[in-house]
Amino acid sequence: MDKQARIFVAGHRGMVGSALVRRLKAAGYENIVTRTKAHLDLTDQGGVNLFFEENQIDVVFLAAARVGGILANSTMPASFIYENLAIETNVIHAACRWNVSKLVFFGSSCIYPKACPQPIKEEYLLQSELEPTNEAYAIAKIAGLKMCEAYNRQYGTHFVSLMPTNLYGPNDNYDLKSSHVLPALMRKAHEAKLRGDATLPVWGTGSPRREFLHVDDLADAAAFLMESDVNEGVFNVGVGDDLTIRELAQTVCRVVGFEGELVFDASKPDGTPRKLLDVSKLESMGWKASIALEEGIRATYGDFLERYASMPRTLVTA
Ligand code: GDP
């Protein structure tokens, strides 16, 4: 791939987009194009069209999205479905219209049915009902990957989709009202340690199983796909292994150095019981995750500590 290619990373301030920019710069790509939300609102169709018309973009990484954890997803479904659909329709359509040579769309493992056989293969998509707590987000992400397939079929574009499992890493969201479980537990364990608490509240029963991928591994997979000659399809990306929320909480506490007891709050939702991706499709092409969970959490805790002083304080602690 030409190191001079003009690569638009949509959502470069987010956890995924910022990891992509780091990865692409490290590989020597010199023309990475980014826009802040203040300069380009991706939900604004006119603005997106003008941006593509003026910027001769060769490659797009569509990492801009409205994302959030189980609480945000279940309380703000309209925002999740509207913003994600608007971003996807605007960017994918404009990328086709202005002859972008490759686009990588980022979905999520929550697009798959709630009662899926595990590990989840790409072909289980749309086989049965979705998990209700994040249905609106999942519908929007399914629409995005179906758009990629439809544009490829009708216009011969090269739009591929990556479905990552639960992500974590530098630049994560630590706001307890909207964060995912791993950053939430990291913050809660850190603050519990500072206060000298005896217990740490964990939502749900602790029994759901989740798989966690470091965002630098995702960025590596995305760059791998961009550089490959694969021009269509949906690819799961994960580590191929999962653990219970209880085991995750224990690991986070070990890294943070919180020695109190875990207290499970079964009044909070568990969400889907298990979400483990089958990653054999991407592995058969020669890509594999390389960051082990505890090592990744340790590195992420270092990033958290650097950011913690400037983080807004939230009142949600339970
Ligand atoms: P999900 O993977 O879409 O269900 O989203 P989350 O990452 O938000 O939640 C995963 C699981 O972790 C669910 O069973 C939550 O109930 C559980 N969990 C435990 N403690 C927390 C917490 O403090 N915040 C969040 N977001 N989830 C938690």
Side-chain angles (χ1 to χ4, degrees):
M1 180 108 202
D2 180 3
K3 299 290 185 205
Q4 300 304 315
R6 287 177 62 76
I7 304 176
F8 175 40
V9 177
H12 72 290
R13 286 199 162 163
M15 178 169 64
V16 173
S18 56
L20 281 165
V21 171
R22 281 196 301 278
R23 173 65 178 76
L24 294 168
K25 281 191 174 158
Y29 291 98
E30 289 171 3
N31 281 316
I32 300 169
V33 181
T34 57
R35 289 291 183 277
T36 60
K37 202 170 181 176
H39 287 104
L40 176 61
D41 176 358
L42 295 172
T43 64
D44 168 26
Q45 189 181 33
V48 171
N49 280 330
L50 191 63
F51 167 80
F52 275 90
E53 187 177 1
E54 289 177 350
N55 285 283
Q56 288 92 42
I57 299 297
D58 299 307
V59 176
V60 174
F61 286 100
L62 184 37
R66 169 74 175 236
V67 294
I70 195 163
L71 184 64
N73 262 282
S74 41
T75 53
M76 292 182 288
S79 310
F80 280 84
I81 195 163
Y82 167 69
E83 288 176 36
N84 287 307
L85 281 176
I87 292 169
E88 291 159 10
T89 53
N90 292 343
V91 175
I92 292 170
H93 188 71
C96 173
R97 190 166 161 199
W98 275 281
N99 300 316
V100 161
S101 61
K102 198 156 186 174
L103 178 144
V104 180
F105 172 67
F106 292 89
S108 156
S109 58
C110 71
I111 62 162
Y112 293 110
K114 180 183 172 88
C116 245
Q118 307 280 325
I120 305 169
K121 291 182 189 297
E122 288 85 351
E123 58 263 32
Y124 298 162
L125 184 68
L126 294 174
Q127 296 300 308
S128 60
E129 280 170 29
L130 296 164
E131 155 61 35
T133 51
N134 53 29
E135 189 186 55
Y137 174 77
I139 294 276
K141 287 293 181 183
I142 293 169
L145 82 85
K146 288 292 173 193
M147 277 189 80
C148 290
E149 289 176 354
Y151 278 72
N152 290 346
R153 200 158 63 240
Q154 186 171 340
Y155 297 112
T157 48
H158 296 161
F159 296 171
V160 294
S161 299
L162 267 179
M163 296 302 132
T165 193
N166 295 39
L167 298 168
Y168 71 100
N171 213 4
D172 208 338
N173 169 17
Y174 293 97
D175 175 351
L176 297 177
K177 291 192 293 302
S178 56
S179 57
H180 284 276
V181 59
L182 197 154
L185 290 178
M186 184 174 286
R187 179 172 189 163
K188 289 204 262 188
H190 179 73
E191 292 181 343
K193 180 180 77 169
L194 295 184
R195 288 192 301 260
D197 291 357
T199 57
L200 178 74
V202 181
W203 296 355
T205 60
S207 59
R209 301 185 71 88
R210 294 288 185 276
E211 176 188 16
F212 296 91
L213 178 75
H214 193 285
V215 72
D216 286 347
D217 269 335
L218 174 64
D220 194 57
F224 171 85
L225 212 53
M226 175 189 80
E227 288 169 345
S228 78
D229 51 15
V230 170
N231 290 325
E232 60 181 352
V234 175
F235 301 87
N236 285 344
V237 51
V239 294
D241 200 12
D242 62 356
L243 74 176
T244 63
I245 295 299
R246 175 189 294 275
E247 289 163 338
L248 174 74
Q250 288 164 343
T251 311
V252 169
C253 288
R254 194 160 55 240
V255 170
V256 169
F258 173 73
E259 290 175 350
E261 208 184 311
L262 303 176
V263 175
F264 292 91
D265 175 3
S267 72
K268 295 282 198 310
D270 264 347
T272 198
R274 193 172 187 203
K275 224 179 352 178
L276 174 66
L277 292 180
D278 183 319
V279 289
S280 53
K281 191 172 170 187
L282 205 55
E283 283 189 2
S284 69
M285 290 162 53
W287 186 88
K288 203 173 178 344
S290 66
I291 304 173
L293 183 61
E294 190 152 343
E295 171 201 335
I297 293 178
R298 218 167 272 289
T300 304
Y301 187 49
D303 176 75
F304 167 86
L305 290 176
E306 279 175 27
R307 292 169 198 270
Y308 184 66
S310 56
M311 266 178 218
R313 297 290 177 261
T314 43
L315 293 173
V316 183
T317 53

